[in-house]
Amino acid sequence: MTKTKDEQSSQPKSHESRDLYHPIFKDWWNEFINKNNPDRNRASVAKLKRLALIGDEEIAQPDVITALEITPFRSLYRKISAFEKWNELSKKNKLARENWLTLTAYALAHVKEYAEKHPASYLGSKSKKEGDKPLMNELRFIALMRAETESELFVQARRLIALLNNAPVDVGELGRSLYLWFDKKEGDRIKREWARRYYNIHNVPELEA
């Protein structure tokens, strides 16, 4: 089957996804969100943290307009749109990716520290307060995996960052995962990796499709 122009221009090869997107989100977080950066603008970070859904419940979407008013978001927008060549995308595809980027920036703004730990590994780790239960209970994790719209994923991302509770995580991976969650090529691979990490079976070799 021949790929559409949108698919050809916006989607890298699967095995390159982490190498390409991870540093973009990590570097952006370090520049604008990292509390150890004395030049970060706290007011802008606070605005990113307050981003929300707008519209009726059934058609709610991340508030892209408000996000565009925030300088750090515009910086991320320029980087991703140039990298993916948004000027070559259809209007529908571009609007969707704006929604994805907004919810991603919202989530990353809440991360306080970086560590080489996959977010799903942290969510699946045992909680001292709950005995041998994972930090995110299985039903909530399944709800995250089954999010079908940007609004549903935004709500699940809000719950996710509340559970992380300032824990150090891999911001590059969190950014890449949330941004590409609904990507036709990368989304399924990302969700499977999150499931493997959550259930601690990620060391099993992945078969090539």
Side-chain angles (χ1 to χ4, degrees):
M1 180 181 294
T2 302
K3 292 183 179 180
T4 65
K5 185 177 181 181
D6 281 0
E7 291 174 328
Q8 291 173 336
S9 62
S10 67
Q11 297 175 359
K13 295 179 181 179
S14 295
H15 68 275
E16 296 177 341
S17 170
R18 188 180 192 282
D19 293 337
L20 294 174
Y21 287 92
H22 186 282
I24 293 177
F25 289 111
K26 180 182 177 182
D27 291 347
W28 177 81
W29 179 86
N30 273 321
E31 181 177 359
F32 293 104
I33 309 300
N34 191 343
K35 64 181 181 181
N36 295 319
N37 181 359
D39 296 326
R40 73 170 184 147
N41 187 308
R42 294 185 178 182
S44 293
V45 175
K47 290 179 181 178
L48 287 169
K49 290 181 177 180
R50 291 197 296 270
L51 288 173
L53 295 171
I54 58 171
D56 296 334
E57 184 175 350
E58 294 183 357
I59 58 173
Q61 295 181 332
D63 190 352
V64 176
I65 300 301
T66 296
L68 287 168
E69 298 171 357
I70 306 170
T71 300
F73 180 80
R74 292 198 299 271
S75 176
L76 181 61
Y77 187 102
R78 292 188 185 100
K79 291 178 181 179
I80 292 293
S81 62
F83 170 62
E84 293 187 331
K85 299 179 181 179
W86 282 9
N87 60 313
E88 299 180 8
L89 302 182
S90 66
K91 181 178 180 180
K92 181 179 180 180
N93 199 340
K94 181 179 177 181
L95 291 175
R97 297 183 103 78
E98 286 181 338
N99 288 340
W100 303 353
L101 195 61
T102 300
L103 71 86
T104 301
Y106 163 79
L108 293 183
H110 287 81
V111 179
K112 295 291 184 65
E113 294 184 42
Y114 174 84
E116 294 289 338
K117 185 166 186 175
H118 194 288
S121 293
Y122 188 83
L123 295 175
S125 60
K126 307 306 179 183
S127 170
K128 293 181 180 179
K129 293 183 179 179
E130 300 294 332
D132 61 349
K133 296 180 180 179
L135 184 67
M136 173 179 272
N137 71 56
E138 189 173 20
L139 289 178
R140 288 208 179 275
F141 181 74
I142 292 174
L144 170 63
M145 292 294 100
R146 293 180 178 174
E148 296 181 349
T149 64
E150 286 101 344
S151 61
E152 289 178 2
L153 183 58
F154 193 98
V155 171
Q156 296 303 324
R158 182 185 296 150
R159 292 171 176 169
L160 183 157
I161 58 180
L163 286 173
L164 291 178
N165 191 28
N166 301 330
V169 295
D170 189 337
V171 291
E173 182 56 44
L174 180 61
R176 181 188 79 102
S177 294
L178 291 177
Y179 179 66
L180 297 175
W181 199 262
F182 296 119
D183 185 270
K184 291 181 179 179
K185 188 173 184 179
E186 292 296 316
D188 185 61
R189 286 178 177 270
I190 286 171
K191 292 168 191 173
R192 291 187 186 203
E193 177 63 14
W194 274 62
R196 295 189 190 101
R197 296 277 181 173
Y198 178 83
Y199 292 110
N200 195 27
I201 55 172
H202 56 280
N203 290 322
V204 177
E206 179 178 359
L207 295 178
E208 290 294 330

